[in-house]
Amino acid sequence: GVSNFSVKKIQEVSKDAKIVPEMNQVELQPYLQQNALLEACKERGILVTAYSPLGSLDRPAFLRREEDPILLEDKTIVDVSAKANASPAQILIAWHLHRSTAVIPKSSNPARIRQNFEAARVRLGAEELASIAALERNFRVLDGGLWWKEEGSPYTYENLWDEPQPQ
């Protein structure tokens, strides 16, 4: 498998590799839906695993910005969860499953782990899916700054993600 491969990198590896990767693990959540990447992977038979699927609230403070949105408190997610009689985390997991992505929410709390498994029973209708789709912002919770902001680093935001850095 590979991690953090963009559409461009998936195209390149698919063209040149003798064995195409089975899995691409990338950040996916309603603020960063990466629909073109999901389609590129699907076309090549590459499965996708979503990391930071709930917005990664537990990330270290040095990886957070004061203005970062909190996905689990997003009004749309909270409204959908109330309508479905499910938690916001369950709604997010169900959304990922609806998109046929593997989802790896992190928890060491037994009750939350059970709740995460129960998300497979949550059904989202077309209206709920459309409202979640409207949350797209191209917002990365983990923007790779740990690597590209380091003095002398060979990385830039642009060459990590193959897209311009948001302003």
Side-chain angles (χ1 to χ4, degrees):
V2 294
S3 182
N4 295 318
F5 270 43
S6 62
V7 171
K8 178 181 174 185
K9 290 178 178 80
I10 288 293
Q11 290 168 338
E12 289 171 0
V13 76
S14 297
K15 178 181 66 167
D16 297 333
K18 290 181 181 164
I19 299 172
V20 176
E22 291 287 325
M23 182 72 68
N24 186 15
Q25 185 179 34
V26 297
E27 180 180 345
L28 281 179
Q29 31 84 9
Y31 297 154
L32 184 69
Q33 296 178 25
Q34 303 207 61
N35 294 319
L37 178 60
L38 288 177
E39 189 58 34
C41 288
K42 183 179 178 182
E43 288 170 0
R44 291 161 178 82
I46 300 170
L47 302 172
V48 176
T49 297
Y51 70 73
S52 297
L54 308 180
S56 197
L57 276 178
D58 65 340
R59 67 191 181 280
F62 72 91
L63 293 177
R64 291 187 215 144
R65 297 164 297 250
E66 192 174 311
E67 69 277 6
D68 283 357
I70 300 174
L71 185 56
L72 289 167
E73 296 174 4
D74 184 282
K75 181 176 177 359
T76 297
I77 300 300
V78 171
D79 289 351
V80 170
S81 72
K83 183 176 177 182
N85 196 28
S87 73
Q90 287 176 314
I91 295 303
L92 293 169
I93 294 167
W95 175 80
H96 284 285
L97 296 174
H98 177 80
R99 290 163 44 98
S100 299
T101 56
V103 57
I104 49 175
K106 180 181 160 192
S107 183
S108 59
N109 178 313
R112 282 203 190 109
I113 292 170
R114 273 190 301 281
Q115 191 179 62
N116 290 347
F117 276 112
E118 291 167 3
R121 296 187 186 130
V122 174
R123 298 291 171 242
L124 300 174
E127 182 181 326
E128 291 82 12
L129 292 168
S131 66
I132 295 170
L135 296 176
E136 172 61 60
R137 310 177 178 193
N138 196 35
F139 172 76
R140 292 181 184 279
V141 172
L142 301 170
D143 70 0
L146 189 61
W147 298 283
W148 60 265
K149 290 179 181 176
E150 192 69 33
E151 186 175 331
S153 171
Y155 300 109
T156 64
Y157 184 96
E158 290 78 7
N159 71 18
L160 274 178
W161 308 119
D162 296 317
E163 63 184 35
Q165 183 177 351
Q167 299 303 321

